[in-house]
Amino acid sequence: MSTLSNNQAMTMAGLNLIQQALTIYDSDLRLVLSNERFRQMFALPDWVVAPGADFAATIRYLTERGEYGAVDDVDAFVKERVDLARAFEAHYLERQMGNGRWISVEGSPLPNGGWVAVYTDITGSKRQEELLRTRSETLSDQLLTRAEELASTNRELEATVTALEEAKRQLTAMEARTRLTTEMMPAHIAHVSAEKVYTFSNRRVSSVMPGSMADPVGHHACEVLGPQPYSVISPHLERGFAGKPSVFEFNHEPSSRRIRVALTPDGSTGGVYILSMDITEETQTRATLQQTRRRELAAQMVSGLAHDFSNLLTIVLGSQSRLLGFDLPPKADALVGATITAARRGGDLLNRIADMTGLRDLHPLPTRLSSFLTEFQTLAETTLPEGVSLEITQTNKPYGLTLMLDAGSLRDSLLNLILNARDACNGTGKIALTVTLVQNTWIDFIVSDTGPGFSEHALAKVFDPFFTTKGDNGSGLGLAMVYDMAKLSGGRVQARNGPVGAEVSLRLPLRLAPAPVAPGLALLVEDNPLIRTDVREMLIAQGHTVIEATSTEEALLLAQDLPDIALVLSDISLEGEATGIDLLERLGENRPPSFLMTSLPETDPLFQRAVLLAPVVRKPFTAETLNSYLGSDIPS
């Protein structure tokens, strides 16, 4: 017998031992529970005391049996009793049964509907009262009546107090559940009075907006949030106090996070309910998708033009080449050569446009930042003249980190910035590359030079395609490609004038690479047998012992039976309805190091869910790529 069943049996046995009869009816006046004393006191048949018995049918049975004496209209009497019961009001009454015995009936409503009634045999008490009334000639009838009224009132008051205590208990439990729910949500939930003072808040404000007051209740919003966030939120609060709801986003400068805030007016108090969420990762993903869509649209527009223009250039080059074979005047050879050079330059420009607008995806891999910067300095210095130096420095100690980066795209972008700085220095000057962490959310690569800086016109158009200050020597695509790479990564790039010359800041999301996975028992989940074989051989070559599954359900069973699993590598799309994402979620936060594989595009909703859960290895991949994800061979 289960603990619950045992407790129920013990409770019922205890109720059967008490001297009072007890019944509990629900809000539909159906019997929920009665004890054995109830059956004995009224000599009732089984159907009356069975759970679910109708209250009206029970009253009709007792009336027809003569329990209430002579009743002329049985239907009206039953209806009266049922209406009284449906009022669900605390009551106490005494009546004499058909067998001459007296009982008291004390009823109390239940908080969720229905009522509980207790029946007590008071025959002995009644006899004593009659004896006392007969012997006590000095006790006035008025005093006795008042005493009885007081006793009745006390009983009603006791029933009401009991009901209030039960209601208080349920309200306390409900408040505790509500508080737990608000604490579990990954958002800041609060209420602010019309004076902008916090009257309620869960404990998430400092995690959503770092630097905020941890316990804001009783404090003014400016004191809780700080100057910059308060200056943004305050106008929206004023509109909320005026009864206008709003949803807005803003950059939380103290933490460099993106925050979404929803304000809902509280019509009863004049205050405002606040819901705040950290949407930094969502914003990074959104920026990536927007840039991808822009590039796709640009590619569609450019491809047709580039095709026709390429054909025209081909004709021009062919015609000019044939002209060189003719006997031309002396000056004509120079003109033909210049035309050929211009046409070839136009072809190179078309290729660069195709590179910028083509469907090129970023493929971040675990990259040691220190090795990357060391090799980049060697590469960049070969492009600089003797009079221009390059210095790479760090703040907040990022060098020791291993990050998820597309090293090739980052290298090309930084090299573009270095070359622009070199040209600005005009043969003599200094270039600095400063790498710094920002609030453990971003990593900044800041390239500055000692040149003349940007003009106002250049600052307004610096990232526009084809804009250049180098005349015929520049294509105007270098910084546009840097902008494209930053947006695809979910970051941003900004240009400004520094203390001396120009300064360009490339900000990327800080995504730490997973810790290296030591050789151990690996769970490989893949429904394609050929791919499963290839990946198994890659894992074995790294020293892992491999067990295999083809579905989420099969993998979960293996994980339950084998607690020593050191690595989970799963495809996103598997046999059955459950995905590899479902597998990692069901394994929970204490799962071993886990990675997902897929050939889905980055715009697919499943891919977007996956990258928030675990590192994603794009198919097809080589053993070297898998080694870099698992930490066995991290490239620079």
Side-chain angles (χ1 to χ4, degrees), residues 19 73 85 102 107 110 149 225 236 244 281 370 374 427 470 533 543 575 577 606 609 611 613:
Q19 294 302 309
D73 189 344
W102 282 84
L110 297 174
E149 290 177 354
L225 301 174
H236 297 275
K244 298 178 181 179
E281 291 188 0
S370 57
T374 299
K470 302 177 184 178
T533 299
E575 286 184 359
E577 296 182 358
L606 282 178
R609 283 182 57 197
V611 295
L613 191 63

Side-chain angles (χ1 to χ4, degrees), residues 211-483:
S212 302
M213 185 178 292
D215 186 8
V217 175
H219 296 273
H220 193 275
C222 182
E223 183 183 1
V224 173
L225 301 174
Q228 185 269 334
Y230 177 75
S231 66
V232 176
I233 295 176
S234 182
H236 297 275
L237 282 176
E238 295 294 345
R239 286 192 285 272
F241 298 145
K244 298 178 181 179
S246 61
V247 178
F248 60 95
E249 298 178 6
F250 74 99
N251 292 323
H252 186 256
E253 291 183 1
S255 65
S256 299
R257 296 186 181 183
R258 186 73 174 173
I259 308 297
R260 178 182 294 138
V261 181
L263 301 181
T264 304
D266 178 8
S268 60
T269 66
V272 170
Y273 293 102
I274 300 176
L275 175 67
S276 308
M277 298 182 65
D278 181 357
I279 58 167
T280 304
E281 291 188 0
E282 175 188 331
T283 303
Q284 294 168 356
T285 303
R286 189 168 59 200
T288 300
L289 291 176
Q290 289 174 346
Q291 184 66 8
T292 300
R293 293 191 185 101
R294 291 193 188 103
R295 293 169 72 248
E296 289 173 350
L297 179 61
Q300 292 173 1
M301 296 175 61
V302 169
S303 61
L305 295 173
H307 177 268
D308 294 341
F309 190 50
S310 178
N311 289 339
L312 292 176
L313 289 177
T314 301
I315 294 172
V316 171
L317 286 172
S319 298
Q320 295 300 307
S321 297
R322 285 195 299 273
L323 282 175
L324 289 176
F326 294 120
D327 187 12
L328 298 175
K331 293 184 179 180
D333 287 342
L335 293 175
V336 170
T339 303
I340 292 175
T341 299
R344 286 174 176 169
R345 187 177 177 191
D348 293 338
L349 184 61
L350 281 179
N351 291 333
R352 296 191 68 180
I353 293 174
D355 289 339
M356 187 178 69
T357 60
L359 299 178
R360 174 176 54 88
D361 292 329
L362 298 179
H363 299 286
L365 293 173
T367 304
R368 290 192 185 95
L369 188 59
S370 57
S371 300
F372 170 86
L373 292 174
T374 299
E375 293 186 5
F376 175 76
Q377 184 164 15
T378 301
L379 173 65
E381 286 177 343
T382 61
T383 67
L384 302 178
E386 291 185 0
V388 178
S389 63
L390 171 63
E391 181 182 6
I392 298 179
T393 58
Q394 61 166 324
T395 60
N396 298 336
K397 306 297 182 183
Y399 275 24
L401 298 178
T402 300
L403 306 177
M404 296 298 294
L405 295 172
D406 186 326
S409 296
L410 178 59
R411 185 183 296 112
D412 292 344
S413 297
L414 293 179
L415 190 58
N416 262 307
L417 299 180
I418 295 296
L419 294 177
N420 280 348
R422 176 201 65 184
D423 295 341
C425 289
N426 197 24
T428 304
K430 296 180 180 180
I431 301 174
L433 169 59
T434 304
V435 184
T436 183
L437 301 183
V438 181
Q439 296 292 336
N440 290 323
T441 304
W442 308 92
I443 182 167
D444 281 358
F445 298 86
I446 304 171
V447 176
S448 59
D449 61 61
T450 57
F454 293 107
S455 66
E456 292 294 330
H457 179 67
L459 276 176
K461 295 180 174 293
V462 63
F463 297 114
D464 291 353
F466 308 113
F467 173 78
T468 180
T469 58
K470 302 177 184 178
D472 292 339
N473 294 324
S475 66
L477 293 178
L479 288 180
M481 295 181 70
V482 175
Y483 176 89

Side-chain angles (χ1 to χ4, degrees), residues 50-323:
D54 183 52
F55 177 79
T58 301
I59 295 299
R60 181 176 295 278
Y61 169 78
L62 293 173
T63 304
E64 292 174 348
R65 197 178 70 177
E67 189 65 38
Y68 298 98
V71 177
D72 295 331
D73 189 344
V74 174
D75 291 336
F77 182 84
V78 172
K79 183 178 183 303
E80 179 183 355
R81 289 304 178 106
V82 170
D83 290 343
L84 180 63
R86 286 194 183 280
F88 299 116
E89 294 180 352
H91 61 276
Y92 175 84
L93 59 90
E94 298 176 356
R95 70 177 179 86
Q96 192 171 21
M97 300 171 59
N99 59 7
R101 301 190 68 81
W102 282 84
I103 63 168
S104 66
V105 183
E106 183 176 354
S108 296
L110 297 174
N112 294 326
W115 45 268
V116 57
V118 178
Y119 309 82
T120 306
D121 189 337
I122 60 172
T123 304
S125 299
K126 281 294 183 182
R127 288 173 180 171
Q128 290 179 3
E129 288 177 6
E130 286 293 330
L131 181 61
L132 181 61
R133 187 176 289 109
T134 302
R135 293 181 177 178
S136 181
E137 298 177 354
T138 59
L139 186 61
S140 67
D141 291 340
Q142 184 179 10
L143 181 59
L144 180 60
T145 301
R146 294 299 183 188
E148 290 176 347
E149 290 177 354
L150 181 59
S152 176
T153 302
N154 285 338
R155 292 188 183 96
E156 292 178 1
L157 181 60
E158 183 178 356
T160 302
V161 170
T162 301
L164 287 175
E165 288 179 347
E166 176 62 20
K168 178 182 178 182
R169 185 191 66 79
Q170 293 202 4
L171 286 173
T172 302
M174 185 183 302
E175 181 182 358
R177 288 193 296 269
T178 302
R179 168 66 69 171
L180 179 62
T181 301
T182 60
E183 295 298 342
M184 293 296 291
M185 292 184 65
H188 172 221
I189 301 172
H191 180 273
V192 174
S193 69
E195 293 74 28
K196 299 184 181 179
V197 174
Y198 279 81
T199 60
F200 169 83
S201 174
N202 64 356
R203 301 177 183 175
R204 293 281 184 174
V205 61
S206 57
S207 61
V208 173
M209 292 181 280
S212 302
M213 185 178 292
D215 186 8
V217 175
H219 296 273
H220 193 275
C222 182
E223 183 183 1
V224 173
L225 301 174
Q228 185 269 334
Y230 177 75
S231 66
V232 176
I233 295 176
S234 182
H236 297 275
L237 282 176
E238 295 294 345
R239 286 192 285 272
F241 298 145
K244 298 178 181 179
S246 61
V247 178
F248 60 95
E249 298 178 6
F250 74 99
N251 292 323
H252 186 256
E253 291 183 1
S255 65
S256 299
R257 296 186 181 183
R258 186 73 174 173
I259 308 297
R260 178 182 294 138
V261 181
L263 301 181
T264 304
D266 178 8
S268 60
T269 66
V272 170
Y273 293 102
I274 300 176
L275 175 67
S276 308
M277 298 182 65
D278 181 357
I279 58 167
T280 304
E281 291 188 0
E282 175 188 331
T283 303
Q284 294 168 356
T285 303
R286 189 168 59 200
T288 300
L289 291 176
Q290 289 174 346
Q291 184 66 8
T292 300
R293 293 191 185 101
R294 291 193 188 103
R295 293 169 72 248
E296 289 173 350
L297 179 61
Q300 292 173 1
M301 296 175 61
V302 169
S303 61
L305 295 173
H307 177 268
D308 294 341
F309 190 50
S310 178
N311 289 339
L312 292 176
L313 289 177
T314 301
I315 294 172
V316 171
L317 286 172
S319 298
Q320 295 300 307
S321 297
R322 285 195 299 273
L323 282 175

Side-chain angles (χ1 to χ4, degrees), residues 6-24 31-41 116-119:
N6 187 43
N7 289 341
Q8 290 174 342
M10 291 179 64
T11 300
M12 200 65 222
L15 292 176
N16 288 334
L17 290 176
I18 65 176
Q19 294 302 309
Q20 286 82 15
L22 179 140
T23 59
I24 297 177
L31 184 65
V32 177
L33 180 144
S34 67
N35 64 353
E36 183 63 21
R37 182 62 176 161
F38 179 65
R39 178 206 299 271
Q40 296 171 359
M41 182 176 289
V116 57
V118 178
Y119 309 82

